[in-house]
Each structure stands twice: as C-alpha cells, then as structure tokens.
Amino acid sequence: MSATGTELQTTKPQLAHLEHLEKQYGEGEIAVHALQDINLELPQGEFVVFVGPSGSGKTTLLNIIGGLDRPTRGRVVVAGRDLTNLDEAGLTRYRRDVVGFIFQFFNLVPTLTARENVELVAELARDPLDPMQVLAAVGLKDRAEHFPATLSGGEQQRVALARALVKRPALILADEPTGSLDYETGIRVLQVMREVTRDMGRSIFLVTHNSEITRMADRVVHLRSGRIAEVYVNPHPLAPEELRW
Amino acid sequence: MNRLTLKLLRDLIASRWQFLAISLVAALGVAMYQGSMLSYERQKTSYQLSYDRLAFGDVWIALRRAPRSVVTGIARMPGVLAVEGRIAQFVEVEQKGGRRPRVVGRLLTLPTNREVTINRLRLLEGRWLGTQSRREVLLEASFARANRYRPGDRIYPKYLGKQVTFTVAGIVSSPEFIYPVMSAQFSLPMPEVFGAMFVPEEVIGPMLGMAGQINEVVLRTVPGREREIAAAVKQRLNAYGPEEPVLRAEQPSNKLLQSDLEGNKPFLVIMPMLFLGSAALAVGLVLARWVQAQRGIIGFLRASGFPAWRILTHYLGAGLLVGMSGGVLGVVLGYLMGAWFGSAYERVLKTPYTTAEGRPDIALTAFLLSVGACLLGAYGPARQAARILPAEAMRGQVPAQPRRLLHFRMPLLVTIPVRNLLRRPLRTLGTAGGVASAVILMLIAGTFRDSMEGSIAQSLDDFRRYDITVTFVPERSERFVRYISTWPGVLRAEPTLDIPVRAYHAGFQKETVVMGMTPDTRLRQVRGPAGLPVLPRPGTVLVSRALARRLRAEEGSLLRLVYPQNTRERRAVAYRHMGAPVQSIVGMPIYMPMEEARRLFASRLQMPPDAVSGAVLDVHPHYLTQIRDRLYRTDGVGLTLTYAELQRQIDEVTAFAQTFISIMFLLGAAMAFAVVYTVTDIVLWERTRELATLRTLGFGMDHLIRLVSLENLLMALIGGVIAVVPALQIARIMMEAASTEGFSMQLVTYPRSYMMALLGTMAVVFLAQWPGLRRVRRLDLAEAIRLRE
C-alpha cells in the first residue's frame, strides 16, 4: 500500500475500517486474486473516489463494503458493524439500514413512477425521509409522477440517488454512476452527489475509471491489480462543474 | 398497497396478454375439472336420489312359478326389509300407427289396490293404473319417447300367440330401466326395440295362466347382508325353481350406469391435469423470463435490504394472481359446462329424479387447483430469483456459450436460430415442453375421435357383412333358418345361437353371452389380434379383449361358464380354455364352436335339437324392406334389426361422447394457441435486442420473420416429437378407463390426426409470433440496442 502519510490523518469519526482484505475467485492455477491485502481507514462525511483501470478490483471492493459480497480473508467494519461476522440475514439488515446503492444502469423498476421507485425503498426503512422532499432535493419534484422510460438518463440516475438517500443511509455506494451518461448529465448528477455530502452529511464512495472525477473527491483511493496503489486526501476539491472530460 | 405489490400488478399489466393467455389455459383446466366433476356428481346423486325415493331393489330372484303366498313368508325372514312378488315376462309386442311393427316388451305386473313398495315408478304423463284398470299399461319413458307413445294410445302385446289390445294409461320412469337394456347380455340401450311395460297383476295373471302366482321376487334387505339374505331366500324358494339371485350391483341398468360413471373418471383427472400442467409450465416460462429480465432490479432490491423471502413471495405473487384469475373464470365456465353436460346426459338417459346442487366444495377445489398449479409453476423461477446474489446480479449475466454441433456452413439466417436453440438446451426443452403440452392435447383429442370412429366403423363393418339380424323367441331348430333362406331376396342366412352365461376366472366374474360359431360362417366374423378373421378351435373359446381384461384372463386361462338361470331341473356349466383375445367393440362376447355350444348348453337347457336363437341374413338391397316386414309378420321372430337401425343406435349412444370430444378438441386448440402464443412471445422478448441489432445492420423485416419463424418452427417440431409418446400413452390409459361394459374402443390414431396436430401447431406458432414481430418492427432501434441484456 502506498499512501501519502500524514495527509491521511483526520479528526473525523471513522466510518469504514478494512484490514488485510483479500478476495479470491476460483482456486489453484485458475485462482484470480481480485483484491489483495487491502488496508483502509475511511472517515465519515467524505466523498471518496475509488479509481483504477478495468479489473483493478474497484467494484469488488465496493460490493464487499456494501455487504453484497464477502471477502475471502480479512476484516471489514462499516458503521461499527463487522461485516465478516454477519450471516446472510445480518447482511440484509446492514444493507437495509446502513447503505444505499447507485448503479451505472440505474436499475429503476420500470413499472413504478419516480416517486413510487423512491417510496419502494422508503417502505423498507425504519425512519425514511419524505420521498417527495428527497426528489425535490435532487431536482426532480416536477418529474415525480413520470415513469423511468420517460425520464432522461441523468434524471433516472437522480431518481436512483433519491432512492438511495430516502432511507437516510450512513453511506452511499455508487458504481460508475456517470458511466452511461453524457458529460453534462454526468456533471449534474455529480453536483447532486456533492450536495448530499456537503448539506446532508452523508458519505459517498464512488467507483469510476474516469480519473477526472478524482478532482472533486475529498479522498482518492487508486487501485491497480487488486491492490491499493495510492490513497490521498484532496486538499482542494473542485466543484463538479469545473471538471472536464 | 405497498410499492412492491404495485410493481407486481404493473408488471402483470405490462405482460397482460401472456398472463391472460395463461389464465385462460388454467381456466379451461378448472372448467374441465369442475364441469366434469359436477356432471359426475350430478349423475351419481341423481341415481342415488332416484334409487332412494323409488326404493330400488337390492335383490332379484327369478322363479319358475310360485304361489303369491310365499311373499308373506319371505317378508318375515330376518334381514328382509321389504319384499314384492310379481310376474315378469318377455313378450312380443305388435305396434301400429307407423311405428316399427314388432318390438320386445318386458311385462312387469303391478298391484292396483296398493302402491308397490319396491322399484316404485314416477309418473311423468297420464295417470296411474287404478282398481278399474283393465287392459291398461304404463310405459317406460325411453321406450314411449322412442316410439312416440302418449297416454290414450294403443299397444298390442302377444300372450301365448294371441294379440291383446292395451291402452297406454301413463308414461313412467323406473329405477330398473334408467339405462333401458333388456338383460345383462345386452350392452346398448335400444329403446326403439325394447320397452318395459307395467300392467295390472289382476288382469295379466289370469291371461298368462298364472292367477295368484308369481315368477319373480324383489327384496330390500339390511345393508351389507344382501348376498347372505339372497342365498337364504333362494333356499326358501327351492321348491319353485329359483334362478341365481341378482344383486343390485349386477342389475343390468344399474351395472351399466355404474360402468358409465366409472368410465367418466379418467376425464375428471387427466384432462384438467393436462390443462393445469400446461398453465403451470407457461407460468414458469414467463416468470423465468421476468427473472432474467429483472436481474438488475432483483440485485438492487437485495442490495437495498429486501430479504430473499420477499423476492420469493413477490414472484410467487404473480403465480398466485394468475392462478386466482384463472380459477375465478374457470369456476364460472365450469358451472356452465357442468350444467350443460348434466342436461345433455339427462336427455339421453331418463333418470326419474335429478339434482343440480351448486357444490361449493367442488368450486373451491377447482379454484384451489388453479392457484396450486400456477404457484407450482411460479415456484422454480421465484426460488431462482430469491437465490440471486446481489453482487452477481450487478455484474450482469455472461451469455451462454453457443454450441457448434454442426460443422458445415449454413446460411447465417439458419445458423443463428439453430445455435440459439442449442445455446440453452434446458430452456429450449422447457419451451418445447410448452408446445408439446398443446400438441399432446390435440393428439389425444384426435386419437379419441379416431378411435371412436374406427371402433364404430369396425363394429359396423363386421355387422355390414349381414344386413339383418333376427332373434327368435323362444329358440327354434336350424330348419327354421333354412326356411328363411328360401325367401325371395335372401342371399344367405346363417344360424346364430346366443346363450347367456356368467363367466368366472380368478375370482372375477362377468355376465355375458356365448355365441355359437359355425365353421363355414361368412356373415358373422371375429377378428383376431392381427385383425384377420379367426374361429374358435374345438375345446376352446375366443374372448373379447375387454372381457379378458375384466376377468384377468389370458391365452390358455381356464374359464368357468355358468348358465345364470340355472335351476335344479335345467342346469348348464362348462369349462373351456381361452384362445388369444379377439377384437370386439360392442359388449364382451365369448365365441364357441356352434356344435359345442349346442352340446354344452342348448341340449342341457332342453332347447330343440340343432337349436338356434336367431339368424343373420345377407339380403338383396331391393328386398330389404319386404324381408323385414315379412319377418315382423312371422311368428316366433322377436327382434329384427337392420344395419341402419344399429347404426342409429350406436350413433345415439355415442352422440354425447362425440360432442364431448369435439369440445375437447376445440379447447385443445384454444390451449395450444394460448401456450404457443406465450412461449413464442417470450422468445421474442428475449431476442428484442438481437433483432434490433440485426435491423440496424440492414436486415429487413422479411429476414427477421424468416429467422424467428425458423426458430419457432424448429421449437414446435421438437415439441411435436416430444409429444407423440406421452400423448398416445395418455390416450391409451384414458381409452381403457373410458371403455364401458357396453362399448370398448380400440386405440387408433390416423395419420390425419398427426398431420392436424403438427400443422395446427405450426399454424398457431406462425400466428402467435405476429404480435411480437410487430413490436420488433415498431422498435425504437437506437433505444433498443442500448438496452442492457
């Protein structure tokens, strides 16, 4: 692991702790080491960007932090919960209570309107936000009654963001959220995500292969061949509208 | 309503045509079950109600003759609840007024000063016999209807060669003649030529020289002790020449009714199961596609914290809703179908009392069957959905590896569909299974129709070798047949000797008839297993396949043949080995060399030397009417039946079954359409992106139609091949179960049925893919090719 020393020190409370994390697919000669000896401390309230080329292990790492996948070895603690000790039901509760997901292909339910897509998750949460307020926060108040098919890609991704936010998760995990969006729409989505961390105090872990996005991050984790190549704190995050790609 | 349920409803609405089609299939299964079950129960309860209200007898014992006073003694015997004595006599009956000139009547006496306590009658028209009734008669309803009798009409029974005029006082239905057959040896109802006639005992007794006497007693006994009581009563009547008692289970009408009911049973199970099985399969196929298409959403739901059981119940919910909608529709259809079946049946058989209860228990069972079948179909995909790991769902699915089994070059528009079918062989088999279920139903319906037509044709073809069959009352000598053969227009006359027997083997028994076969017979042939004419070898008998099955006998088995009306004075019992079973459609006869039949039975039963019980005649067509009329006028000729009349009788008996089969065929075609539409539509949904891509590459709709049609037709062909063996097996099981005491069918499938099933399925496939192809034509190509697979 390579990190830029004291720059990583912070007074913020810790959100995620990853210790000697490894993920291996297959065994013997055909074994693929997707992650190797990952050690990370990630504080609350930050916009963290995981960046690296294809096959570097970004998504695998995100899935493990999100409780979607289990590590082969090592320990993961998120929001005080040791995921390595949780059974399937425990992981389901963890995902319900702690994390929200955003995917590259939105994965909205096509037969539910924007509002209903958000309500779908709100019904699951213990203390959800008002779905309409969340939609308003992502700039979709007027599009709430539209079905996904009638929304643009950016609007769909903002619905996905609202859907992730509505249950007040401590952590939002976004896997290539701008991957299928054009530049302007992508920027708009990133602006909303930035506001979520700034105004709502949520943490966002974003996976991308677009290194330009690292310039708006509070913290950047570079991955290469399943290992952490570099971790650093960005002292001067740019506003999303300043990014160019 | 929670949002997941809302999603489910909207998903269902989005796939409404597929699910409506499946609901319809389930509804047809439910309707089949409920309709046939209601009809079955309606018949069963109607018979029971009629038997209860009209005090149907438990035991019948025929006697030579006995003083009426014996009845009083029998009534006091333990276990006897009621007893009636009566005169029962077969007579020739002359008819006028454009009716058939001569028929056979079963005269049964009734007391006129009191109501009879056993086998009471229900008056349908006219009035009862009263103490003033002299030469009045009550006619059984089937006979009255077939011969157009109304109260006030005249009828002319012959006693001891003398014709007497009787007036019809009323038309009645009787529990003894719901299925109007002459005796246990007859298996087809022939109300045109046979009728039960109820006459005042005080009038008939003296006319027959039996004043104050009876020749039959009928008993009602303590339930469960019929056999024992019957034996005791027979013992008590020993001085009066009692025949073997006939218990209720063996009473001819009741036995045929029960056999008919049993024959309906396979329809109660197999047909609904076929429909419901197809619905389950179709639900499974559609939901499997849903799960495939919604992997991303399932992944998101699981990632958001929805537990696996919520995903499971979500997709099971789809099966539940389809099953419920099919159930509700099916219950309504089934109610109508049951009413229609019931009334159609009652038009054929005159049941004295009928019931038509709603039977909510049957409706509920039918409804639950639909729900159960659809839930079963949904379970597989729902379980698969619940097991999807969220991380895997996010990664998307790796397309299955295409298989390259054919190592020669084919046009790409052939290669693509072939490889598509080979790519996911299990899924291809599942879809072909859906098509196969439709083909199975059409083939079963076709086989049923072919078998019925083939059996009737065979039966009539055998009959066609002679134009007229004649029964003599009583038996005559062979000289009489030789005399008839001299009549103008008679080309050939052969004697027949039919003797009622009870056949026993391995603890099983069956009342039937021994037919004497002359070695030079040309008119009354028996077909062996290979379909060629055969004759019984000396010392053996030939037995119909249905009877062999009934007696659990096979070639070489030793049968015991007992004359059922054996008395101490007239007694005939024979043992004979059985040859290879032969084909026989109507009844379950036993064929024996004529000389042996005469030696073993006729002479022991004090029949005339060279006894014959009838004749079969081959006549010149121009003389047919003349010869028939001459037979009617000839003394001693009881029953004369021409080819056309037999054909009409068989048509009447099978009319209901023919209608039923036609309905089944239509429903089969409807199901075929629904199932094939569903599966082809699924295939098209799955291929939308691929087809859109081909269009963007410049392939025209005609190319796509060829590509899709080829794939679907190949699928139909696989389905067709899969279907043949199970279809024939199911048809065989149903046919064996549906064969009644009276009519056993041979399994025949004509090539036309294979062709119809194959071409029908292909046509349905071609039509069913049309909505999907239209959708492909209207696709926004730019949008479609961006869709994630």
Side-chain angles (χ1 to χ4, degrees), chain B residues 30 99 126 132 150 213 307 359 369 381 422 430 448 514 524 552 584 599 632 647 659 673 709 713 728 734 741:
Chain B
V30 168
R99 299 176 180 100
Q132 300 306 310
R150 303 290 312 276
Q213 292 186 311
R359 295 300 300 262
L369 278 175
L422 295 172
F448 240 87
V514 159
R524 205 184 199 192
R552 310 290 192 278
S584 176
R599 183 160 43 85
Y632 285 145
Q647 190 174 34
T659 314
F673 189 85
S709 300
L713 291 179
L728 296 186
M734 289 177 72
E741 293 275 320

Side-chain angles (χ1 to χ4, degrees), chain A residues 25 63 68 88 92 95-96 101 103 105 107-112 116 119-121 123-124 147 163 167, chain B residues 1-4 6-7 10-11 14 296-297 300-307 310 390-391 394-395 788:
Chain A
Y25 295 107
N63 285 344
L68 297 179
E88 194 49 47
T92 300
R95 294 197 297 265
R96 186 187 305 162
F101 282 92
F103 310 102
F105 294 102
N107 290 342
L108 298 182
V109 179
T111 47
L112 297 182
E116 288 162 350
E119 285 171 346
L120 173 68
V121 177
E123 283 172 358
L124 198 65
F147 283 98
R163 197 173 60 172
K167 60 180 180 179
Chain B
M1 182 188 301
N2 73 45
R3 292 300 172 252
L4 210 53
L6 187 65
K7 168 192 173 295
R10 293 211 181 128
D11 284 349
I297 294 170
F300 152 73
L301 292 171
R302 294 284 285 124
S304 300
F306 280 89
R310 286 285 304 271
M394 299 305 146
R395 276 198 288 274
R788 185 183 181 194

Side-chain angles (χ1 to χ4, degrees), chain B residues 478 497-499 501 514-517 536-541 561 563 566 570-577 592-612:
Chain B
E478 199 168 331
L497 177 60
D498 296 354
I499 295 161
V501 291
V514 159
M515 292 185 172
M517 303 285 291
R537 284 186 289 113
T540 67
V541 288
L561 308 172
Y563 182 64
N566 270 344
R570 275 180 9 138
R571 197 171 169 74
V573 178
Y575 291 87
R576 276 295 179 267
H577 285 286
M592 182 184 273
M594 178 69 92
E595 280 317 307
E596 291 181 25
R598 281 178 178 153
R599 183 160 43 85
L600 295 171
F601 291 98
S603 60
R604 292 181 191 176
L605 299 172
Q606 294 148 27
M607 291 179 190
D610 298 337
V612 293

Side-chain angles (χ1 to χ4, degrees), chain B residues 194-471:
Chain B
F194 165 74
M197 299 164 190
F198 300 89
V199 287
E201 185 182 314
E202 291 78 359
V203 178
I204 295 301
M207 283 177 68
L208 292 174
M210 290 182 71
Q213 292 186 311
I214 56 169
N215 66 3
E216 186 174 61
V217 292
V218 189
L219 311 169
R220 294 269 282 175
T221 63
V222 171
R225 291 181 54 201
E226 297 85 353
R227 199 168 293 278
E228 164 204 341
I229 293 165
V233 172
K234 186 190 170 202
Q235 179 70 27
R236 189 184 182 101
L237 290 168
N238 236 349
Y240 308 108
E243 293 179 5
E244 277 303 308
V246 174
L247 302 188
R248 180 188 279 204
E250 289 292 320
Q251 197 271 343
S253 161
N254 180 48
K255 189 167 188 169
L256 287 164
L257 290 178
Q258 299 306 327
S259 159
D260 216 30
L261 273 180
E262 288 301 306
N264 284 340
K265 270 190 176 168
F267 291 95
L268 305 181
V269 181
I270 298 176
M271 294 309 293
M273 285 310 120
L274 265 177
F275 277 84
L276 291 172
S278 302
L281 191 67
V283 166
L285 289 171
V286 174
L287 282 186
R289 181 189 72 78
W290 269 24
V291 170
Q292 180 67 24
Q294 297 183 357
R295 276 179 71 87
I297 294 170
I298 296 166
F300 152 73
L301 292 171
R302 294 284 285 124
S304 300
F306 280 89
W309 68 264
R310 286 285 304 271
I311 307 296
L312 181 85
T313 52
H314 178 69
Y315 288 99
L316 280 179
L320 180 71
L321 286 174
V322 175
M324 282 169 66
S325 58
V328 169
L329 179 64
V331 164
V332 175
L333 284 176
Y335 181 79
L336 298 173
M337 207 184 267
W340 185 81
F341 281 167
S343 60
Y345 206 82
E346 278 153 19
R347 273 199 297 276
V348 180
L349 296 180
K350 279 278 161 214
T351 314
Y353 292 97
T354 56
T355 58
E357 294 168 11
R359 295 300 300 262
D361 55 329
I362 293 177
L364 182 67
T365 310
F367 177 80
L368 291 178
L369 278 175
S370 170
V371 171
C374 291
L375 278 178
L376 200 68
Y379 181 72
R383 188 154 166 266
Q384 191 192 0
R387 285 181 161 189
I388 288 177
L389 297 174
E392 258 179 40
M394 299 305 146
R395 276 198 288 274
Q397 207 178 28
V398 181
Q401 183 70 28
R403 294 180 184 209
R404 191 169 177 175
L405 294 184
L406 306 172
H407 290 273
F408 53 86
R409 286 185 70 83
M410 291 185 291
L412 277 180
L413 285 178
V414 177
T415 309
I416 293 173
V418 170
R419 288 206 183 141
N420 261 325
L421 293 174
L422 295 172
R423 190 163 64 162
R424 293 208 174 99
L426 275 182
R427 181 185 291 199
T428 302
L429 273 181
T431 314
V435 178
S437 66
V439 180
I440 285 174
L441 204 83
M442 287 204 275
L443 258 184
I444 289 177
T447 300
F448 240 87
R449 186 197 48 206
D450 293 348
S451 301
M452 185 163 276
E453 274 182 28
S455 302
I456 291 171
Q458 189 191 332
S459 163
L460 291 180
D461 273 354
D462 287 353
F463 193 84
R464 194 75 178 96
R465 295 172 183 278
Y466 45 90
D467 301 302
I468 300 175
T469 179
V470 188
T471 308

Side-chain angles (χ1 to χ4, degrees), chain B residues 512-552:
Chain B
T512 178
V513 63
V514 159
M515 292 185 172
M517 303 285 291
T518 51
D520 57 346
T521 180
R522 293 215 303 261
L523 303 183
R524 205 184 199 192
Q525 289 187 343
V526 181
R527 305 276 178 90
L532 298 171
V534 287
L535 279 171
R537 284 186 289 113
T540 67
V541 288
L542 294 176
V543 166
S544 74
R545 214 175 278 154
L547 180 59
R549 233 187 348 255
R550 177 76 187 270
L551 295 175
R552 310 290 192 278

